[in-house]
Amino acid sequence: RAAAARAGASFLAFDARGHGASSGSIEDLTLSHLVRDLDVAVDAVVPPGADLVALGSSLGGLTPAGWSVGRPDPPRAAALPAP
């Protein structure tokens, strides 16, 4: 976060529904829900037209991978080990 702030970049740590401190139930967990949740979070935090780098592993990598497909403004780069 601090490095992003020093660089003038936005920082979003996405905590999927039903995981960690997020509300929701893991029983409601579907890729389409996660993609929609990520879309809402990005729209709330990342300024329009800003470069975005997606990082995630396992389900945390699958979510931005699915979110990126077909977007007019996909992430500039991604590191998604074991999506």
Side-chain angles (χ1 to χ4, degrees):
R1 290 180 199 255
R6 284 191 301 274
S10 300
F11 181 90
L12 169 65
F14 179 70
D15 193 9
R17 66 171 68 202
H19 288 78
S22 289
S23 62
S25 169
I26 199 159
E27 287 81 20
D28 296 329
L29 192 66
T30 65
L31 183 57
S32 60
H33 284 145
L34 292 172
V35 166
R36 190 168 41 249
D37 293 348
L38 181 57
D39 197 44
V40 168
V42 168
D43 284 348
V45 174
V46 180
D51 285 336
L52 179 66
V53 175
L55 308 169
S57 179
S58 191
L59 186 59
L62 183 60
T63 303
W67 175 80
S68 299
V69 174
R71 286 189 61 87
D73 56 345
R76 180 178 184 95
L80 309 172

